[in-house]
Amino acid sequence: MIRLIVMLAMSFLLTGCLLTVDSDSRHLQTVWSEADVSRLQLGSTDPSWVRATFGDPITKLTYADGSEIWKYRNRSEKDTEVGLFLLFSVDVEEERIETLSIEFTDGIVTNYWIEEDRF
């Protein structure tokens, strides 16, 4: 009985050594950070501050009422590799795109939001 318990314990310990997980993240394009976004103030931030902080938008939409939406994009990749000692290895790549949209009405920030896409 003790021998069986020792064998089971050894098999659980050795299993942990056989399974490997390696993960690596890379920022491909970073235009904005959460800290910058937190400094946006609804009703008071103007386009000149936004342009000085975030640069030129990748997209600028203008509507008939004069309001505008500026879009900024961050791109990153995450590479995860899972392997079982010399038997198999699985490599999973994921691209993440975060889009910051800032809405202006009468030259003042009235709204902003972040959308996330994963591929």
Side-chain angles (χ1 to χ4, degrees), residues 13-23 79-92:
L13 289 174
L14 291 176
T15 303
C17 297
L18 297 175
L19 184 66
T20 61
V21 177
D22 184 28
S23 183
D79 185 23
T80 304
E81 185 176 343
V82 178
L84 185 60
F85 183 72
L86 298 178
L87 296 177
F88 73 91
S89 177
V90 177
D91 191 23
V92 179

Side-chain angles (χ1 to χ4, degrees), residues 25-93:
S25 295
R26 293 186 310 266
H27 293 284
L28 301 175
Q29 176 187 24
T30 302
V31 175
W32 52 271
S33 68
E34 294 289 334
D36 292 334
V37 173
S38 69
R39 294 172 42 206
L40 286 169
Q41 295 181 354
L42 299 179
S44 64
T45 303
D46 63 6
S48 62
W49 184 89
V50 172
R51 192 178 303 275
T53 304
F54 300 110
D56 292 325
I58 60 163
T59 305
K60 189 175 182 180
L61 306 170
T62 304
Y63 296 95
D65 65 357
S67 63
E68 295 181 331
I69 296 180
W70 293 8
K71 294 185 179 249
Y72 297 89
R73 185 167 290 145
N74 285 349
R75 288 181 52 225
S76 61
E77 281 184 344
K78 183 176 182 180
D79 185 23
T80 304
E81 185 176 343
V82 178
L84 185 60
F85 183 72
L86 298 178
L87 296 177
F88 73 91
S89 177
V90 177
D91 191 23
V92 179
E93 291 183 13

